Amino acid sequence: MALARSTGRLISLLRQNTRMMAGGEWGAGEGKGGGKGGSIRDAGGSFGKMEAAREEEYFRKLQKKQFGDMTEGLEKEIEYHEYHVKHHKEAIERHKKRIGQLHHEEKKHKKDDD
């Protein structure tokens, strides 16, 4: 469940970034690089380009963090499942051993009955 939610959020962010890169040069004025972006970006020029660069850097860092968080979450899930697999294998071995003991006792009782 958590993986599906994380993946959905990541896909949503990637779609937003794709829409933002849809037209023109970033920071070149209103309607370029994803539409209205505030007064500085609307004016264009070097301040608009600088603001667009900062925004792009922010989204790159955010995306990197999201990938890191997703990776960490998946690693924790793997550890969780490996822990349970180990304990289930131990339980299986205990049960197999007990079955073997029961078969041995059954054979012993058959010999006594004969």
Side-chain angles (χ1 to χ4, degrees):
M1 284 298 229
L3 174 61
R5 276 182 268 147
S6 297
T7 305
R9 279 187 249 141
L10 181 61
I11 290 171
S12 175
L13 179 66
L14 291 173
R15 285 183 182 148
Q16 283 177 339
N17 284 346
T18 302
R19 280 194 304 266
M20 292 172 72
M21 295 184 281
E25 184 179 332
W26 282 63
E30 186 174 350
K32 308 283 172 116
K36 194 154 178 75
S39 60
I40 292 176
R41 289 191 54 192
D42 290 347
S46 60
F47 282 115
K49 290 177 183 178
M50 184 173 63
E51 183 62 28
R54 285 185 184 151
E55 186 176 314
E56 181 64 21
E57 180 183 5
Y58 167 80
F59 282 108
R60 276 195 309 272
K61 286 180 181 179
L62 179 64
Q63 189 176 41
K64 183 178 179 180
K65 182 185 180 320
Q66 288 174 331
F67 278 125
D69 291 347
M70 266 180 54
T71 301
E72 184 180 329
L74 289 171
E75 287 170 350
K76 285 181 181 180
E77 273 193 62
I78 289 169
E79 287 176 19
Y80 171 84
H81 291 297
E82 285 175 341
Y83 170 83
H84 285 283
V85 166
K86 176 185 171 192
H87 287 279
H88 287 302
K89 284 182 178 181
E90 290 171 356
I92 289 169
E93 289 305 313
R94 280 194 314 273
H95 295 316
K96 284 181 178 181
K97 185 177 178 180
R98 182 66 180 137
I99 289 171
Q101 290 171 346
L102 291 172
H103 283 306
H104 180 70
E105 288 178 24
E106 184 181 23
K107 287 179 185 178
K108 185 177 169 184
H109 286 292
K110 274 189 176 181
K111 282 184 183 179
D112 292 343
D113 289 341
D114 290 338

